[in-house]
């Protein structure tokens, strides 16, 4: 976010018209903040990671809150629960509830680990996502993820959501 | 109406009957009456020095309750995920800013407004960076609107805890006057493409909370990029220096510490609109993008853990609807068998909390009191049985069933399901 010279002056002119508020955003600075990822993979950065590597990264950065193997920690359970959603005790996890694998990358990348969000490299983020998917039986232990394979994953609860009709008309 | 174990006033039945016969029932029944004659009232004396801030009276004990999740109350603040507003001690419709409920996903961000920026990009003709000063220089609007966490009411999905106050059951809703720039003005500045039907709003907090917002005409017309709350800059807990305000829509959509708006033609499916804030039905399917807060109400006086006396009681509470204005509130004092229309304290503003009240003579027999709100679009707050029949008990969010308080022979008020 390098400041652009002279940009601030625009905001303070007394005769400002609509077109004079703010300043143009440069592509370089947009890329610093443009972290969101869509289900079709748009927004995913290039990179890759293995389940094996993810197991190491998880032990170092995630297990303290989420428990070994993503179960039993003080924070959200990440694995198991498939088949429980219609029961009296539903267990909502990445494997049982999340409809898109892309969301897993997006969330880890933007918000985890809790004390230092954004501190994992892109490759380590793919690796942790791969490990969590493997804990849920969605990737094999020797599995690997990258920006092409992640959006191809079909999550078990992909069809478990009913969009609210009132807000569906603006969906494509 | 003291909370139980508090001091109780000796009820002067003769005074009540005199008041009732002259038709002036309706005033507040006094609390602890320690000045029995006017001679006991302390004499006048010079007051405190004037200062930069005005504190609440030392005689008023009022505060929020941090909690870590359903049934995990009074926790260490470090473990809290929300803090609930003391509805039973509020008397109007506006919530004081420091008592406005709080919910955050990674704490209240500490942002320097001189360094904060709002990036607007994606499907727009002009991708723009705005400073906070830019936003404050734009044409402004103000609007009184409620905010409600979609988890409000979560204590009562499966069972009722009789020890809960209304702060515990319903303290995740509050009302403020919000001031800021109409989103529509910003859309004009950046020249949003017509094909852009969704907007990603993202916070500058550690979690980078982000939600996909459908650009319906209503949302485009009513959304505000706000920097003011109740006449002052928004407080850090509520999104300083800027936040999104979407009147009537679920709290999490009103992104705090707003730093990015991105336009696109489909939702992004963030964690908060997939793994969280989707409503799990009994059949295992979940409703998604259920964004509007429904018609709701709750009696705050008397409410859980309070104690009432036989005779005159004034019932008071709050009603709100994400669809529009509160048109009517009914109160039942016989467990939803019969209903009477409550008085609304005006103005009843669209998508804002409205206070209601009604006089009631309690005959001293155990009973149940319930409120039911109806908005100007004709939406009626559902009774619990029909609500649960539709939603099941796993939905976790958007609980708006009628709230019942039971009253036993001693006048003790308790939270029950119906």
């Amino acid at each position: 976010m390098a400041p652009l010279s002279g940009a601030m002056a625009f905001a303070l002119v007394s005769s400002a018209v609509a077109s004079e508020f703010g300043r143009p955003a440069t592509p370089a600075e947009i890329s610093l903040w443009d972290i969101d990822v869509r289900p079709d993979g748009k927004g995913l950065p290039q990179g890759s990671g293995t389940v094996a590597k993810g197991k190491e990264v998880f032990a170092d950065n995630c297990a303290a809150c989420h428990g070994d193997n993503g179960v039993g920690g003080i924070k959200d359970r990440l694995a198991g629960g498939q088949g429980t959603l219609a029961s009296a005790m539903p267990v909502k996890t990445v494997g049982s509830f999340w409809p898109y694998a892309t969301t897993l990358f997006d969330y880890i990348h933007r918000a985890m680990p809790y004390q230092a969000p954004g501190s994992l490299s892109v490759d380590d983020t793919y690796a942790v996502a791969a490990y969590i998917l493997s804990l849920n039986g969605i990737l094999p232990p020797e599995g690997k993820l990258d920006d092409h394979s992640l959006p191809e994953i079909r999550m078990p609860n992909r069809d478990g959501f009913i969009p609210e009709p009132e807000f569906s008309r603006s969906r494509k | 109406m003291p909370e139980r174990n508090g001091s109780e006033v000796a009820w002067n039945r003769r005074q009540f009957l005199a008041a009732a016969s002259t038709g002036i029932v309706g005033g507040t029944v006094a609390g602890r009456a320690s000045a029995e004659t006017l001679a006991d009232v302390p004499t006048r004396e010079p007051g405190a020095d004037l200062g930069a801030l005005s504190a609440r009276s030392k005689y008023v004990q009022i505060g929020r309750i941090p909690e870590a999740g359903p049934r995990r109350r009074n926790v260490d603040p470090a473990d809290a995920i929300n803090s609930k507003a003391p509805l039973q001690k509020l008397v109007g419709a506006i919530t004081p800013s420091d008592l406005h409920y709080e919910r955050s996903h990674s704490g209240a961000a500490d942002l320097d407004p001189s360094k904060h920026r709002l990036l607007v990009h994606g499907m727009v003709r002009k991708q723009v960076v705005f400073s906070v000063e830019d936003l404050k220089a734009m044409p402004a609007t103000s609007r009184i609107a409620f905010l409600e966490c979609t988890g409000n009411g979560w204590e009562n999905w499966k069972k009722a805890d009789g020890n809960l106050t209304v702060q515990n059951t319903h303290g995740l809703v509050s009302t403020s006057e919000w001031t800021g720039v109409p989103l529509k003005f910003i859309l004009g500045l950046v020249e949003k493409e017509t094909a852009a039907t969704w907007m990603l709003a993202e916070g500058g907090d550690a979690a980078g909370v982000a939600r996909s917002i459908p650009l319906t005409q209503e949302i485009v017309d009513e959304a505000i990029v706000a920097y003011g709350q109740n006449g002052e800059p928004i407080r850090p807990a509520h999104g300083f220096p800027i936040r999104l305000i979407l009147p009537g829509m679920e709290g999490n959509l009103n992104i705090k510490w707003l730093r990015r708006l991105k336009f696109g033609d489909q939702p992004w499916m963030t964690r908060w609109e997939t793994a969280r804030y989707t409503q799990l039905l009994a059949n295992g399917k979940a409703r998604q993008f259920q964004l509007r807060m429904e018609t709701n109400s709750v009696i705050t006086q008397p409410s859980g853990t309070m104690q009432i006396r036989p005779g005159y009681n004034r019932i008071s509470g709050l009603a709100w609807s994400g669809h529009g204005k509160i048109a009517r509130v009914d109160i039942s004092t016989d467990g939803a068998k019969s209903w009477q229309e409550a008085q609304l304290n005006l103005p009843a503003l669209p998508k804002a909390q409205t206070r209601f009240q009604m006089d009631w003579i309690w005959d001293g027999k155990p009973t149940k009191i319930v409120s039911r709100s109806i908005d100007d679009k004709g939406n009626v707050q559902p009774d619990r049985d029909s609500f649960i029949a539709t939603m099941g008990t796993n939905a976790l969010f958007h609980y708006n069933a009628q709230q019942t308080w039971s009253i036993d022979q001693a006048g003790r008020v308790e939270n029950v399901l119906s």
Side-chain angles (χ1 to χ4, degrees):
Chain A
M1 299 159 285
L4 301 187
S5 59
M8 291 307 295
F10 272 84
L12 301 174
V13 292
S14 59
S15 59
V17 295
S19 60
E20 291 175 322
F21 292 106
R23 62 165 176 81
T26 67
E29 64 177 347
I30 290 172
S31 70
L32 291 173
W33 281 16
D34 193 13
I35 58 173
D36 51 84
V37 176
R38 293 199 322 200
D40 60 6
K42 190 171 179 185
L44 278 173
Q46 283 187 351
S48 67
T50 62
V51 170
K53 173 68 175 173
K55 186 171 185 174
E56 293 172 21
V57 178
F58 189 91
D60 291 345
N61 296 279
C62 319
C65 290
H66 294 285
D68 294 335
N69 305 316
V71 176
I74 55 170
K75 291 298 180 184
D76 289 19
R77 178 173 166 161
L78 302 177
Q82 291 182 33
T84 66
L85 295 182
S87 75
M89 292 285 285
V91 178
K92 293 194 276 189
T93 73
V94 171
S96 71
F97 196 63
W98 292 38
Y100 300 100
T102 48
T103 307
L104 185 56
F105 182 95
D106 178 276
Y107 185 61
I108 296 168
H109 191 50
R110 74 168 59 232
M112 292 292 129
Y114 185 86
Q115 298 296 350
S119 62
L120 296 181
S121 69
V122 166
D123 286 347
D124 282 355
T125 305
Y126 279 111
V128 171
Y131 176 63
I132 293 170
L133 293 172
S134 78
L135 291 174
N136 283 286
I138 297 166
L139 274 184
E142 66 280 9
K144 180 183 170 184
L145 269 189
D146 61 26
D147 46 307
H148 296 289
S149 57
L150 179 66
E152 299 299 319
I153 291 171
R154 187 171 176 84
M155 298 293 276
N157 197 39
R158 170 67 186 84
D159 296 326
F161 293 82
I162 308 160
E164 186 71 5
E166 178 180 5
F167 299 112
S168 297
R169 61 182 178 80
S170 46
R171 287 164 61 93
K172 281 236 158 173
Chain B
M1 295 165 193
E3 291 180 36
R4 281 205 296 282
N5 306 321
S7 55
E8 285 178 51
V9 64
W11 175 239
N12 185 330
R13 182 161 177 79
R14 201 170 57 181
Q15 279 178 346
F16 168 71
L17 292 174
S21 66
T22 53
I24 58 168
V25 167
T28 304
V29 175
R32 181 185 178 86
S34 60
E36 289 301 333
T37 80
L38 295 188
D40 295 335
V41 175
T43 54
R44 293 178 290 123
E45 58 183 35
D49 294 340
L50 278 64
L53 298 171
S54 52
R56 224 161 247 128
S57 166
K58 66 185 178 188
Y59 304 107
V60 174
Q61 302 302 316
I62 193 167
R64 299 184 312 194
I65 297 177
E67 65 175 26
R71 295 172 294 283
R72 295 184 59 206
R73 292 177 285 277
N74 298 312
V75 297
D76 185 319
D79 295 327
I81 64 167
N82 69 44
S83 192
K84 289 180 165 178
L87 299 190
Q88 74 278 29
K89 294 185 177 177
L90 303 179
V91 295
I94 301 284
T95 313
S97 296
D98 62 340
L99 298 174
H100 191 290
Y101 88 85
E102 182 180 349
R103 166 80 172 108
S104 73
H105 291 257
S106 55
D110 174 16
L111 303 181
D112 178 346
S114 72
K115 295 176 180 168
H116 190 70
R117 294 293 182 271
L118 174 65
L119 169 64
V120 184
H121 70 124
M123 292 176 66
V124 293
R125 291 194 180 81
K126 297 175 181 172
Q127 308 196 95
V128 182
V129 175
F130 296 108
S131 68
V132 176
E133 287 306 313
D134 286 328
L135 297 166
K136 289 165 84 170
M138 294 176 191
T141 189
S142 287
R143 174 160 186 183
I144 294 172
F146 78 83
L147 266 186
E148 184 179 18
C149 174
T150 156
N152 203 22
W154 62 8
E155 297 280 3
N156 280 352
W157 274 106
K158 291 178 190 280
K159 57 185 178 183
D161 177 341
N163 296 315
L164 297 188
T165 67
V166 69
Q167 183 169 12
N168 300 138
T169 60
H170 287 78
L172 291 175
V173 59
S174 298
T175 290
S176 289
E177 182 205 57
W178 302 100
T179 298
V181 186
L183 176 67
K184 216 170 186 175
F185 184 80
I186 294 172
L187 297 183
L189 290 182
V190 300
E191 298 177 29
K192 182 187 83 69
E193 295 173 17
T194 50
T197 50
W198 287 82
M199 173 176 81
L200 184 79
E202 183 178 280
D205 53 331
V209 172
R211 289 295 302 263
S212 303
I213 295 162
L215 293 172
T216 63
Q217 192 62 51
E218 176 188 6
I219 285 175
V220 167
D221 287 345
E222 298 189 27
I224 300 169
V225 175
Y227 46 78
Q229 179 182 9
N230 295 333
E232 64 173 336
I234 290 175
R235 296 188 179 206
H238 307 303
F240 181 81
I242 54 171
R243 77 174 303 170
L244 192 61
I245 290 292
L246 297 168
M249 304 297 156
E250 67 182 15
N252 182 250
L253 222 58
N254 295 252
I255 294 292
K256 297 194 279 190
W257 313 290
L258 183 68
R259 79 167 191 174
R260 193 159 71 100
L261 293 174
K262 181 178 184 178
F263 293 88
D265 59 6
Q266 57 180 268
W268 283 260
M269 302 298 180
T270 69
R271 178 251 196 182
W272 294 275
E273 58 214 20
T274 55
R276 284 286 187 282
Y277 308 130
T278 49
Q279 207 179 21
L280 186 59
L281 304 176
N283 65 4
K285 301 282 186 183
R287 294 169 77 183
Q288 189 183 25
F289 297 113
Q290 192 211 7
L291 307 180
R292 187 184 301 280
M293 301 313 293
E294 292 292 333
T295 304
N296 209 335
S297 75
V298 67
I299 293 170
T300 57
Q301 305 261 343
S303 56
T305 77
M306 292 183 186
Q307 187 159 15
I308 64 167
R309 302 175 292 269
Y312 172 78
N313 286 275
R314 183 172 58 107
I315 295 174
S316 174
L318 291 162
W320 62 98
S321 170
H323 294 274
K325 279 191 262 195
I326 290 298
R328 199 178 95 205
V329 177
D330 296 332
I331 293 174
S332 174
T333 56
D334 59 7
K337 290 197 225 12
S338 67
W339 297 87
Q340 289 173 270
E341 188 170 345
Q343 173 193 325
L344 301 184
N345 289 9
L346 300 178
L349 300 170
K351 304 180 183 178
Q353 285 180 290
T354 298
R355 184 160 291 277
F356 61 86
Q357 56 179 311
M358 190 183 83
D359 293 338
W360 176 43
I361 308 294
W362 181 45
D363 60 10
K365 293 176 185 159
T367 190
K368 292 175 179 177
I369 58 174
V370 195
S371 67
R372 170 178 77 185
S373 64
I374 299 151
D375 67 26
D376 63 351
K377 305 290 190 301
N379 299 292
V380 181
Q381 184 185 0
D383 64 77
R384 179 180 160 86
D385 288 348
S386 56
F387 177 77
I388 294 297
T390 307
M391 301 310 310
T393 57
N394 289 336
L396 195 57
F397 304 109
H398 291 270
Y399 184 92
N400 74 315
Q402 292 164 20
Q403 169 68 32
T404 302
W405 303 112
S406 79
I407 298 170
D408 70 10
Q409 203 151 12
R412 289 182 294 231
V413 185
E414 283 194 2
N415 175 43
V416 293
L417 291 184
S418 61

